[in-house]
Amino acid sequence: MTEILISFILATATLAFSPGPDNIFVLVQSIVNGKKYGLATVLGLMTGCIIHTTLVAFGVSAILKQNESLFFTIKLFGAAYLLYLAYQVYKSDASITFSTDNVSQKTPLQLFKTGFWMNVLNPKVTIFFLAFFPQFLFSETISTVIQFYVLGGLFIVTSFIIFSSIALLAGNISETIKQNKKIGIYLKWMQIVVFIAIAGLILLP
């Protein structure tokens, strides 16, 4: 069980570090408006993750109770989706670009709401949770709902630590990105390896 949870945390940390719309948005808000505003955005994003965790926890758990073969089909779908994400990352440009032009001043509460709705209204997040979380169910005796909430909690805590670090170190991070063009390549291949590795967990007999 411990090994599975550690693997989940490491996978989550790698994905949180990888450049995407959420952490780039946090970075930009921190640079333009200040660290407090970046942290408010992070809190909004992480609160949104609670909604997605709840949807996946009760949805998948209900399916598992009714039909284990259907649950296995969901896991296969998850593996296929993760391989698709790996392919999408492979095709994408490795350069990291972010613009602070035309970024309007907002209050911390407004940025919290923005982060929350950015997350909640993004169906790709639910699909990702559906693909990602079932690969790391860690017990045959603990309720699957509880297991999903444990995974959701670990995902939120891990992502919060990393996203908050991005907000607090925004200036240093942006300068490092500008000075080292290879960072994007490293992060790109980290994502690819993690997606393929997780998909392999379910595809291997």
Side-chain angles (χ1 to χ4, degrees), residues 74-75 77-79 81-82 85 126-135 198:
I74 289 177
K75 294 186 78 174
F77 157 77
Y81 182 66
L82 291 167
L85 290 179
T126 298
I127 295 172
F128 177 75
F129 275 34
L130 182 62
F132 187 54
F133 280 25
Q135 324 306 326
I198 296 170

Side-chain angles (χ1 to χ4, degrees), residues 7-121:
S7 297
F8 178 82
I9 292 171
L10 291 175
T12 298
T14 302
L15 296 173
F17 269 122
S18 304
D22 288 349
N23 50 21
I24 294 296
F25 184 72
V26 169
L27 182 63
V28 170
Q29 294 302 325
S30 299
I31 293 171
V32 173
N33 296 312
K35 297 174 183 178
K36 178 174 70 174
Y37 296 83
L39 290 173
T41 307
V42 173
L43 284 172
L45 289 167
M46 295 304 104
T47 304
C49 287
I50 298 173
I51 306 298
H52 292 291
T53 300
T54 300
L55 291 173
V56 172
F58 285 96
V60 174
S61 296
I63 291 171
L64 181 58
K65 287 179 182 178
Q66 294 176 4
N67 192 329
E68 287 194 20
S69 61
L70 181 57
F71 179 67
F72 181 70
T73 301
I74 289 177
K75 294 186 78 174
L76 287 179
F77 157 77
Y81 182 66
L82 291 167
L83 290 174
Y84 167 76
L85 290 179
Y87 177 67
Q88 290 294 103
V89 174
Y90 173 74
K91 290 200 309 178
S92 67
D93 186 359
S95 61
I96 303 173
T97 58
F98 57 92
S99 175
T100 57
D101 297 335
N102 301 319
V103 179
S104 59
Q105 179 76 36
K106 294 183 178 180
T107 66
L109 180 59
Q110 287 175 321
L111 285 172
F112 173 87
K113 291 178 180 178
T114 299
F116 176 79
W117 290 115
M118 271 179 63
N119 192 289
V120 170
L121 298 178

